[in-house]
Amino acid sequence: MTLLEFARGPGLQVALLIMIAGCVWRLTAILLLRRRPHLGASRHSRAGRVAGGIAMVFTRSLPRRTFWPRIASSVILSTVFHVGFAIIILCGAPHILLIHQITGISWPGLPKGIIVLVSGVTLASMIALLFRRMLHPVMRLLSTIDDYLSWLTVFLPILTGILLSGETIAGYETLLALHILSVELMMVWLPFGKLMHAGLVFASRAAMGVNFARKGAAT
Amino acid sequence: MTDVAAGMRGFVSNFGPTAALAMESCVHCGRCAEACQFYVQTEDPRYTPIHKIAPFKQAYEREVGPFAFVYRLFGLAPKVTEAEPTKWQDLIYDSCNMCGRCSLICPMGIDIADLVEQARHGMCEAGLVPTDFLGVLEEKEHATGSPFGLTTAALEKMLHDIGTRHGVVMHVDEPTADIIPTVSSIDLKTYPSSMAAIAKILNHMGASWTFRTDGFDADNVSLTAGDRIGQRSVTLGVIRAAKACGAKVLLMPECGHSFTEMRWEAANQSGAALPFRVLQITELLAEGISDGRIRVNKAPQTATYHDACQLSRRGGATAAPRIILQALGVDLHELEDAGDANWCCGGGGGVALIKRAQPLRDMAFQIKQRQVEATGVATVYTSCSGCRQTLDHGGKAVGWNKTVASLLELVADNLKD
Ligand code: SF4
Ligand code: SF4
């Protein structure tokens, strides 16, 4: 079995299994905790609270204007990274092909040159974010091995993706295998560390949105 | 006596999915620090909001989190030991006023202020409430329902004395009434004229109302101390008194945290929806002015308004004071960040009561000082006597020439008749 065959076969299956089982476990453990009904007054009806939850999912993507001067670099870098990452996954032709093979759904992609450029910018934003994390006293204090491991598991697929697009340092098959394996590493780590915020962010924002709508609190 | 294990259990015991989501979701982006006055003023990373609850997060991961067994098995989150929560006392109490500014900035939607409140429950159950003030107050609050230890007879006399002094008819301990006003212990001690103002306005409205000495002081210091038992006993006392006289409205004083408790939490404490509305005084004033039950003269002047965090950002009553100020014809020069993004006075969440927190409070006050000075006005109105007192003290310390005044009293002084 070649490395590529392993990556495409058992490697992928195991990674998928771990990712799904881990996510289900983590989410179930959170959501099954005892929920207490709120008996107090509410400024909004049930529908208003649900709307508040949905709205918060979107509105928290950018900070209030008053906060910008102090957190601009953090917001810009992380926005560049997230948007770039989404473009790579959703607009890269090989990724669209893969999604098409699995789901039958397809859409037009962006030219390879643009995806490589976006990947480069995304990678640069990640490096800047890493330096920020290592140098900013607040983030240095907060950060744990989890933050760095999570960073690495996202960094590697983008890096190998760029290398793959140019077939520079090795042959196509080897680079593709490394790229897939790096994605599998990310999948395996996803349920256990900070990467999980990709899903938790929706639940967490929505929960806050509902709670704050109840009080009519500022969102 | 400290019992750290009990404290950690206390912290995680009332964890629901929302708090767990908060614990799980933090991405360590550090933005919350930039919203917190204690970090902004000191640049000390220890004052990063989410860092303040670090030992409690460790307890969560070890005891309740989805991978608690892994953490325990491999010793990834060691048991929280005695030294740690003691060390964290000044982060959870001295340098957090539960203002919720951090909760407003967090991109993950984590209500850090709420987590600090839960951490205080744990600290209290561990016996780690700062003893210099809270221990004493709580003892009194437990015994008498008032943090200043006032007895029913003393209260009754005090209220009638205030009425006589201000020429206002006081209603005390009447068996039935539609509106039951409550007060804050700061009003009792420092601003008794605010009680006369409440009486004057309710008389002006022709309302059926009475103070109840059995459910009078809503201040609830136990809440900010993290003492769930004391908090509940104060809350239930107020509910009992309001129910006993068939109240339709429980009126909360110019006070932030007591409003939070009675408006949003009291029903949960008592286990049933409350049979009356809970209104903060600015809400009643704004309603009364809007529907004509309260008629005011113009009181033209330039002034600014300081929002109490629990009323505006955390309580949804941001518009009410502005309706009142507009009706009075006040030329309002808003502070930078006024309304929902306001900065705490520096003394919220019981921080004002901690002596050793004075230097931190003073640094926090500098933000407000700068903002007020930028407006160029001489008077700052507010609807929280805790804020009023903190701003008064801060102002005195720097020889300020600004007057900090009560919005309630401004209305009472300008009623039409
Ligand atoms: S802002 Fe929110 S996500 Fe970022 S460090 Fe603070 S609590 Fe964590
Ligand atoms: S609630 Fe306010 S004082 Fe406390 S950590 Fe958050 S921003 Fe700082």
Side-chain angles (χ1 to χ4, degrees):
Chain A
M1 188 186 285
T2 64
L3 192 61
L4 183 59
E5 281 166 351
F6 170 78
R8 279 184 163 154
L12 184 63
Q13 284 161 1
V14 170
L16 258 177
L17 191 73
I18 294 176
M19 184 177 81
I20 293 169
C23 287
V24 169
W25 178 271
R26 189 158 171 190
L27 289 176
T28 311
I30 297 169
L31 298 176
L32 283 188
L33 284 171
R34 194 157 59 96
R35 201 182 298 264
R36 279 192 194 81
H38 268 279
L39 302 166
S42 172
R43 288 196 194 269
H44 288 283
S45 64
R46 197 187 160 85
R49 294 197 293 275
V50 172
I54 295 169
M56 181 78 88
V57 169
F58 297 97
T59 55
R60 273 300 158 106
S61 302
L62 283 177
R64 284 173 169 254
R65 196 177 314 144
T66 185
F67 293 134
W68 267 97
R70 294 193 66 92
I71 59 171
S73 62
S74 161
V75 177
I76 291 167
L77 285 173
S78 73
T79 305
V80 167
F81 160 71
H82 282 96
V83 172
F85 196 53
I87 291 175
I88 297 167
I89 294 173
L90 297 176
C91 302
H95 300 149
I96 297 173
L97 190 67
L98 181 70
I99 293 169
H100 179 67
Q101 281 166 1
I102 299 169
T103 64
I105 306 167
S106 178
W107 56 88
L110 287 172
K112 186 170 158 184
I114 294 184
I115 292 296
V116 173
L117 186 75
V118 171
S119 302
V121 173
T122 309
L123 217 57
S125 71
M126 283 199 78
I127 293 168
L129 283 166
L130 178 67
F131 273 102
R132 234 183 143 258
R133 185 167 291 288
M134 293 193 306
L135 298 176
H136 194 293
V138 167
M139 272 181 293
R140 239 193 6 235
L141 178 72
L142 295 179
S143 298
T144 62
I145 183 77
D146 179 2
D147 296 287
Y148 294 104
L149 199 54
S150 298
W151 180 91
L152 187 69
T153 59
V154 177
F155 185 81
L156 288 177
I158 304 176
L159 180 69
T160 53
I162 292 179
L163 296 175
L164 179 62
S165 69
E167 289 176 46
T168 42
I169 57 165
Y172 176 79
E173 285 221 344
T174 313
L175 286 173
L176 181 59
L178 290 177
H179 183 59
I180 296 174
L181 285 171
S182 68
V183 172
E184 284 162 7
L185 180 68
M186 184 172 72
M187 287 161 68
V188 167
W189 180 239
L190 189 138
F192 306 106
K194 294 283 173 209
L195 290 185
M196 189 71 181
H197 82 272
L200 291 176
V201 66
F202 300 106
S204 177
R205 285 182 185 174
M208 176 188 254
V210 170
N211 279 343
F212 280 22
R214 174 174 294 117
K215 300 180 191 175
T219 54
Chain B
M1 207 184 72
T2 60
D3 182 352
V4 174
M8 293 301 139
R9 275 198 306 275
F11 176 64
V12 292
S13 66
N14 55 353
F15 251 59
T18 305
L21 270 174
M23 284 286 162
E24 298 282 338
S25 302
C26 177
V27 287
H28 294 164
C29 69
R31 286 187 203 168
C32 47
E34 307 294 347
C36 177
Q37 55 193 331
F38 297 107
Y39 172 76
V40 168
Q41 289 299 88
T42 61
E43 301 264 309
D44 182 342
R46 276 179 2 108
Y47 295 132
T48 301
I50 197 69
H51 176 66
K52 293 175 186 175
I53 56 149
F56 293 92
K57 183 153 190 274
Q58 193 176 319
Y60 164 81
E61 279 164 351
R62 207 189 132 80
E63 310 296 340
V64 209
F67 302 113
F69 64 98
V70 182
Y71 278 97
R72 281 200 296 267
L73 196 64
F74 296 106
L76 294 174
K79 215 172 188 156
V80 178
T81 59
E82 172 140 3
E84 291 171 55
T86 314
K87 188 180 86 189
W88 295 83
Q89 206 183 46
D90 76 314
L91 296 180
I92 288 164
Y93 288 99
D94 301 25
S95 62
C96 181
N97 40 48
M98 306 205 276
C99 75
R101 233 175 160 263
C102 49
S103 310
L104 198 62
I105 202 174
C106 174
M108 295 302 295
I110 300 171
D111 191 354
I112 308 158
D114 192 52
L115 292 176
V116 169
E117 189 180 334
Q118 299 211 35
R120 287 189 181 188
H121 294 159
M123 292 293 280
C124 182
E125 272 153 58
L128 288 166
V129 178
T131 47
D132 54 341
F133 81 105
L134 283 170
V136 182
L137 289 181
E138 274 184 83
E139 271 169 34
K140 287 185 182 169
E141 197 164 274
H142 282 174
T144 64
S146 159
F148 289 101
L150 292 166
T151 62
T152 300
L155 279 174
E156 205 172 330
K157 180 173 179 326
M158 181 198 266
L159 284 167
H160 284 300
D161 287 351
I162 292 170
T164 310
R165 220 172 23 249
H166 289 84
V168 189
V169 178
M170 283 286 182
H171 298 263
V172 184
D173 284 341
E174 290 180 7
T176 58
D178 290 343
I179 301 179
I180 306 298
T182 53
V183 305
S184 125
S185 47
I186 300 172
D187 291 333
L188 283 173
K189 211 180 163 200
T190 317
Y191 309 117
S193 50
S194 67
M195 283 171 276
I198 289 179
K200 206 173 158 190
I201 290 165
L202 293 174
N203 289 341
H204 165 90
M205 292 170 73
S208 131
W209 70 277
T210 183
F211 280 123
R212 291 282 303 213
T213 54
D214 53 349
F216 175 72
D217 187 341
D219 201 14
N220 213 327
V221 175
S222 300
L223 180 156
T224 48
D227 173 3
R228 284 188 274 196
I229 297 168
Q231 176 183 348
R232 188 159 183 268
S233 104
V234 173
T235 300
L236 294 187
V238 174
I239 294 175
R240 254 195 315 274
K243 272 186 179 169
C245 58
K248 296 194 179 90
V249 172
L250 178 69
L251 188 57
M252 303 311 291
E254 290 197 308
C255 172
H257 291 280
S258 65
F259 169 71
T260 296
E261 170 68 5
M262 294 309 301
R263 177 69 167 260
W264 311 119
E265 291 304 324
N268 297 332
Q269 300 272 10
S270 77
L274 302 179
F276 46 77
R277 289 174 80 200
V278 178
L279 284 181
Q280 203 266 337
I281 184 73
T282 54
E283 293 180 302
L284 181 89
L285 295 176
E287 270 189 23
I289 286 172
S290 302
D291 65 20
R293 280 178 299 156
I294 299 174
R295 297 164 311 281
V296 289
N297 294 311
K298 294 286 177 198
Q301 58 186 293
T302 52
T304 191
Y305 181 77
H306 162 76
D307 287 276
C309 308
Q310 304 301 321
L311 304 180
S312 294
R313 174 169 44 257
R314 308 277 289 167
T318 312
R322 288 159 177 90
I323 292 171
I324 300 163
L325 287 161
Q326 195 184 11
L328 289 162
V330 173
D331 178 15
L332 181 63
H333 291 229
E334 289 276 24
L335 300 170
E336 193 190 339
D337 299 324
D340 294 342
N342 80 303
W343 294 83
C344 174
C345 60
V351 174
L353 301 168
I354 307 175
K355 285 192 194 75
R356 66 179 181 219
Q358 175 85 41
L360 273 171
R361 266 199 312 274
D362 290 346
M363 275 195 267
F365 175 75
Q366 287 168 6
I367 298 177
K368 202 52 70 176
Q369 187 184 358
R370 275 198 301 272
Q371 291 187 329
V372 172
E373 278 163 13
T375 65
V377 304
T379 311
V380 185
Y381 285 105
T382 186
S383 300
C384 172
S385 33
C387 300
R388 185 180 174 190
Q389 184 175 254
T390 302
L391 296 176
D392 265 342
H393 287 172
K396 259 189 207 113
V398 296
W400 221 18
N401 59 353
K402 310 289 180 196
T403 307
V404 185
S406 147
L407 184 57
L408 160 68
E409 291 178 38
L410 180 69
V411 173
D413 290 344
N414 291 283
L415 292 170
K416 252 190 188 134
D417 257 335

